[in-house]
Amino acid sequence: MKSMETRHSPERIMREMDWNLLRSFVVLAQSRSVTDAANRLRLTQPSVSTALKRLENRVGKRLIHRAPGRFELTEAGEVLYREALDIQGAILRLSTLMRDMTDEVTGHVRVSLASHVICPLFDQVLAAFHKENPRATLSIEVHSSAQAIETVSARSASFAICLVHKRNPRLEYLRLYREFFGLFCGPPHPLFGRRDLSRADLAGQSAVSFETDRLQDALKPVTLMRAQAELGDQIIATSSHLEEVRRMIVAGLGIGPLPLHVAARDVRDGLLWQLPPYDQTAAVDVHVVWNPQAVLNRAEQALLAGLRAGIEATPIEERTYR
């Protein structure tokens, strides 16, 4: 009896799929062109194009639209990219899981952090984790919030601490703390040091801000606060890193938003000056985000469990920073 297995049947794809093709495709999906992907993979352009063609033949679908001025994933490509990220994350974790087969917790924890997370509770949990598991290792990488969440989706990070706009139903979220944003200027700015200011004094002034300061993004409350202050419509400079937004404000490029508790020391040191509104600052929540489908080593389990326990045991009032 002849096998009913077809060229593109799930069984055949599973048996014959080459992980290197998927790895190349992940880089292609994250690149601007085949040439860009080839540079990142340190391969020739024809090699990358051939790999893409082989993968498309294997799955029986076109994965990338390629034309002059156009390089984007097809619908099938989007689906394969999401699944390939999961596979990549699982493979990356294999060696870590194998090393963790000892009585002592010696695993490695990778945390994706949004820029300049200032949270005493998180610091306390880190200190307790290290005291209880001195041989466990830790790395913290700073990303934009969107990139941090992507690393969790891909299972290349143990968990993330970041802003959240749209929730992915495949991930879990828990609010770590709430912070309040105000508007600030630096010493070169004409409003610096003035105590008699109202919102009207800010009208038309140049602004600097975060890349996510948009109505459709994570810092929507900050966008609304700027609009109410009638700052100029054009944001003249942006960054995804709080330290760089702070730098631009201090340098006098424009008025910009910062968390009040983060800016407090600079205000005391005379590097920043808070501007109106003083009583209607923008509340923004920072979350812990993790992937329930990820297989965590014991070090990751211990740190995430400690953080979740600390959150549950601490009232939100004590995790709110103004």
Side-chain angles (χ1 to χ4, degrees), residues 85-290:
L85 280 176
D86 276 349
I87 296 170
Q88 177 176 268
I91 291 174
L92 288 171
R93 303 180 68 79
L94 282 175
S95 61
T96 301
L97 291 171
M98 294 301 101
R99 289 199 309 268
D100 196 37
M101 303 302 292
T102 63
D103 292 335
E104 188 175 15
V105 175
T106 59
H108 186 72
V109 184
R110 294 180 176 87
V111 181
S112 286
L113 211 64
S115 171
H116 219 66
V117 167
I118 303 295
C119 176
L121 174 61
F122 180 51
D123 297 344
Q124 293 163 13
V125 170
L126 280 180
F129 169 77
H130 176 65
K131 183 177 181 179
E132 294 169 7
N133 308 288
R135 294 197 61 195
T137 56
L138 175 76
S139 60
I140 296 178
E141 298 179 354
V142 178
H143 299 282
S144 69
S145 290
Q147 291 170 335
I149 290 174
E150 186 172 300
T151 64
V152 174
S153 295
R155 292 187 276 187
S156 59
S158 311
F159 60 86
I161 297 177
C162 58
L163 306 182
V164 174
H165 178 49
K166 292 183 178 179
R167 297 197 175 205
N168 182 339
R170 300 172 70 178
L171 304 179
E172 296 287 343
Y173 301 82
L174 186 60
R175 180 171 61 180
L176 176 57
Y177 67 94
R178 170 169 287 181
E179 60 187 2
F180 286 81
F181 279 72
L183 296 174
F184 296 86
C185 67
H189 198 278
L191 299 183
F192 188 88
R194 289 182 53 183
R195 299 181 182 277
D196 57 343
L197 297 172
S198 67
R199 287 186 181 182
D201 294 300
L202 277 62
Q205 295 281 348
S206 297
V208 300
S209 196
F210 296 87
E211 292 178 357
T212 50
D213 179 357
R214 297 185 293 260
L215 282 175
Q216 68 275 23
D217 219 320
L219 286 180
K220 178 181 177 180
V222 172
T223 307
L224 295 173
M225 181 178 64
R226 281 195 308 100
Q228 291 167 355
E230 298 184 5
L231 289 172
D233 292 336
Q234 182 179 9
I235 298 178
I236 63 171
T238 63
S239 176
S240 61
H241 288 262
L242 185 146
E243 293 86 348
E244 301 311 318
V245 173
R246 172 195 172 277
R247 183 198 306 276
M248 294 185 288
I249 297 171
V250 171
L253 273 65
I255 294 170
L258 291 171
L260 298 179
H261 73 295
V262 174
R265 178 178 293 181
D266 283 335
V267 171
R268 292 194 299 269
D269 292 344
L271 293 175
L272 290 172
W273 186 258
Q274 188 176 355
L275 302 169
Y278 304 114
D279 56 347
Q280 295 181 350
T281 50
V284 175
D285 291 334
V286 178
H287 292 77
V288 181
V289 184
W290 68 96

